[in-house]
């Protein structure tokens, strides 16, 4: 890492946060999310800080639920249980009276967050909602483009990484809980399709195929596609014990942390506000699983831990606002837009850093 240019900013950061630990910074960002990004009725998270726009972002709020579970697991403070309950119990009301959504990937994010919330809080109601979503998600599986789950219900011949990799992760986790072999069979089928159509031999992950109805591949490079493919391969390894899946996870993880169109100037690239603001945090979440699994190769894990620690150092030295606000560019303080997506993404990194045992340096 080339830290010399960043050293003055780091010293300034230390002056601002004084003796705060990463856990305290994580808590501050959680409080900022609650106090400045919440809807007027306090039941969901807005598009931007203190926004007048009441639009309910289904998949952003799914990741907000995941971040609340991070806070609960870190602190065991029951205030997080209350926040989780409020968000989930008002979900249908805020989503025009329905649990479901047009977009399969949106539902997958919520299903994953609910499944995790159910396990972490021992609330079976959340798990039950996740299973309801799963039944609807599976209706997107079809033979168009040779297999895979569609991106949305009115475009069943367009398939992409965001609709398939999270489904694989969910199917594997559900299999681990229920031992329903149908879930594992589906996970392997989806994985084989995804790897064959959108993942290159190098480990490079592309976005989708047939978006415009002409069979073309979109070679877009988004950070979150790497995270969820790593997560899919890792969960299949955990479910089956087959080394081929773990090797795929390693290959893609090793590729993405060195790829110049993923990591720019030593930091995960700025993908803007809006939806793109969430992408980096999703990669961080799933790469952390590899970094923390002590049963895996120490050499591989060491490189992932170092990468995560470097990302943490750069964010906290340069992009973390003393109010607990985080922007889309982790090398600069946030501008005046204050996207919720970017806030959540940065929080995923800080919460992951706490899990990894990092310190502010």
């Amino acid at each position: 890492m080339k830290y010399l240019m960043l050293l003055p900013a780091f010293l300034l950061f230390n002056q601002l946060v004084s003796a705060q630990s990463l856990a305290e910074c994580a808590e501050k960002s959680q409080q900022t999310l609650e106090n400045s990004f919440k809807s007027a009725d306090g039941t969901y998270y807005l598009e931007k800080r203190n926004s007048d726009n009441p639009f309910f972002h289904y998949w952003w709020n799914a990741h907000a639920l995941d971040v609340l579970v991070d806070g609960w697991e870190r602190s065991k403070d029951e205030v997080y249980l209350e926040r989780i309950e409020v968000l989930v119990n008002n979900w249908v009301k805020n989503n025009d009276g329905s649990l479901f959504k047009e977009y399969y990937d949106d539902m997958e994010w919520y299903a994953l967050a609910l499944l995790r919330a159910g396990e972490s809080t021992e609330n079976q109601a959340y798990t039950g909602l996740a299973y309801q979503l799963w039944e609807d998600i599976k209706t997107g599986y079809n033979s168009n483009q040779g297999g895979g789950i569609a991106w949305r219900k009115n475009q069943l011949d367009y398939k992409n990484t965001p609709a398939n990799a999270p489904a694989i992760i969910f199917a594997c986790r559900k299999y681990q809980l229920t031992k329903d072999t149908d879930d594992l069979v589906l996970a392997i089928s989806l994985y084989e399709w995804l790897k064959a159509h959108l993942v290159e031999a190098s480990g490079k992950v592309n976005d989708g195929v047939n978006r415009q109805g002409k069979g073309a591949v979109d070679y877009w490079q988004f950070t979150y596609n790497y995270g969820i493919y790593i997560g899919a391969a890792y969960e299949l390894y955990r479910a089956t014990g087959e080394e081929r899946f773990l090797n795929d996870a390693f290959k893609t993880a090793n590729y993405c942390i060195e790829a110049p169109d993923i990591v720019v100037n030593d930091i995960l690239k700025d993908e803007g506000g809006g939806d793109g603001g969430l992408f980096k945090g999703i990669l961080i979440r799933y790469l952390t699983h590899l970094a923390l699994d002590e049963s895996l190769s120490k050499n591989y894990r060491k490189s992932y831990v170092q990468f995560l620690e470097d990302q943490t150092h750069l964010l906290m030295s340069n992009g973390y606002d003393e109010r607990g606000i985080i922007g889309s560019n982790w090398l600069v303080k946030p501008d005046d837009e204050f996207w919720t997506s970017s806030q959540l993404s940065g929080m995923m990194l800080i919460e992951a850093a706490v899990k990894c045992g990092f310190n502010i340096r």
Side-chain angles (χ1 to χ4, degrees), residues 5 22 46 49 87 108 124 154 163-165 194 211 248 273 282 290-291 315:
M5 293 188 300
L22 278 170
L46 297 166
R49 178 178 181 264
L87 182 59
E108 290 163 15
Q124 292 303 308
N154 66 356
N164 283 273
L194 179 59
R211 177 174 51 88
D248 287 347
I282 295 169
L290 286 183
L315 170 64

Side-chain angles (χ1 to χ4, degrees), residues 28-29 32 49 320-325 334-336 338 343:
K28 177 180 281 189
S29 291
T32 298
R49 178 178 181 264
Y320 181 84
D321 185 286
E322 60 271 18
R323 294 165 295 175
I325 296 174
D335 58 24
D336 293 335
F338 301 131
Q343 177 74 12

Side-chain angles (χ1 to χ4, degrees), residues 268-330:
L268 287 170
K269 66 180 179 178
D270 180 1
E271 291 165 287
D275 287 342
L278 264 166
F279 291 176
K280 292 196 293 286
I282 295 169
L283 168 56
I284 292 294
R285 182 175 297 284
Y286 291 99
L287 184 61
T288 301
H289 294 163
L290 286 183
L292 292 180
D293 190 333
E294 295 184 358
S295 71
L296 306 183
S297 165
K298 184 177 181 180
N299 288 337
Y300 278 142
R301 288 196 302 109
K302 182 178 179 180
S303 66
Y304 306 147
V305 169
Q306 186 63 59
F307 179 80
L308 293 169
E309 187 171 11
D310 290 343
Q311 299 303 297
T312 304
H313 168 73
L314 290 172
L315 170 64
M316 301 308 293
S317 301
N318 299 275
Y320 181 84
D321 185 286
E322 60 271 18
R323 294 165 295 175
I325 296 174
I326 306 157
S328 64
N329 185 340
W330 288 351

